[in-house]
Amino acid sequence: MGLQELWFILIAVLFIGYFVLEGFDFGVGMLMPVLGRSKNGSADNDTRRRVVLNTIGPVWDGNEVWLLTAGGALFAAFPEWYATLFSGFYLPLLLILVALIVRVCAIEYRGKIDDATWRSRWDWGIILGSWVPAVLWGVAFANIVRGVAIDENRQVVSGFFDLLNPYALLGGATTAIVFALHGAVFIALKTADEVHEDAVKLASRLSIPAVVIAGAFVLWTQLAYGKGWTWILVGIAAAALLGVVALTAVAREGWAFVLTTVAVIGAVVLLFASLYPNVMPSTISDDYSLTIYNASSSPYTLKVMTWAAAFMTPVVLIYQGWTYWVFRKRISTAHIPPSIGLPIKTS
């Protein structure tokens, strides 16, 4: 295995980590309007929403680091891929970035002022800041696998609306429904009392459409772009989602979360395996396609990066694993203290 192959695999691993960890973060934000609604009236809505949000409170910002690392690795290891991707996908990637910024601000600011209107507005920031990237990441990666119009200058000459083709839209629907399911199972795993019960029920309801939509997408990917051995990945992802259907029906959220994780991993590996050895196929001519060989940095650069990754990666993994261990216990509405935000000024 050469350094180009190694770094292609490492970038795939970084995106796997991002989609597994940030995937349930998106799911939690997407489901706030549903699981944050109390049966006892609006007075308890904020408490429930704080329970839902606190499931990711200690870890969401650390999960985002996987995207920063993946972007940095992409820039350093495959600069031509990075340049073509970010110029050709400028608008969807900008929308993702803006949505992530809004979500960060909303999570940080919603509790600063003790006012229902203030919190409601920031809640919408969390919700939209979760839905937009959850959909657009699927659209973006589906287009990367499908290929876009890249000319001889390695420039994407197609427009934004060319990215909204049926395969890409199905990819966006897949990431949205799978992340929502992943988030519902995570909330069920991390909560107690009525929030836990509602999360289990919601996860059970989401599991069946997730099987249908994600199954259609991975099958289309395999038939159109996959390789012979990648049928194994299709089987793994499908079996994992079917297992989630069974496990959520009997409220086994721990194993269900393991299987939603396996499903995400299987789907991402399928996308990268279908792409290899290309990194951005051209629909104009195969001669214009970017591959791991014509888009990579120099061997010396890749060698230096490999040594840096060998030293730093274990440290990051150990630290993040320790964080999840420290905050492993369930939370409930009984654990939520009264709001301590500043009172809103009336004059």
Side-chain angles (χ1 to χ4, degrees), residues 290-312:
L290 299 182
T291 70
I292 63 172
Y293 305 109
N294 65 17
S296 68
S297 294
S298 67
Y300 180 77
T301 299
L302 295 178
K303 185 180 295 185
V304 172
M305 290 174 59
T306 302
W307 280 109
F311 281 107
M312 294 303 300

Side-chain angles (χ1 to χ4, degrees), residues 138-216:
V139 172
F141 268 86
N143 275 294
I144 292 173
V145 173
R146 174 181 177 271
V148 290
I150 301 174
D151 63 14
E152 67 276 10
N153 298 315
R154 298 182 176 179
Q155 296 291 323
V156 177
V157 295
S158 54
F160 171 75
F161 290 102
D162 294 318
L163 301 177
L164 304 180
N165 52 81
Y167 175 69
L169 293 176
L170 181 59
T174 298
T175 49
I177 189 67
V178 170
F179 289 164
L181 174 61
H182 198 35
V185 174
F186 181 76
I187 294 170
L189 181 65
K190 289 288 295 177
T191 58
D193 62 35
E194 67 272 11
V195 180
H196 165 79
E197 295 171 1
D198 290 347
V200 170
K201 293 176 183 176
L202 181 59
S204 182
R205 295 190 190 104
L206 290 173
S207 61
I208 295 176
V211 170
V212 174
I213 296 172

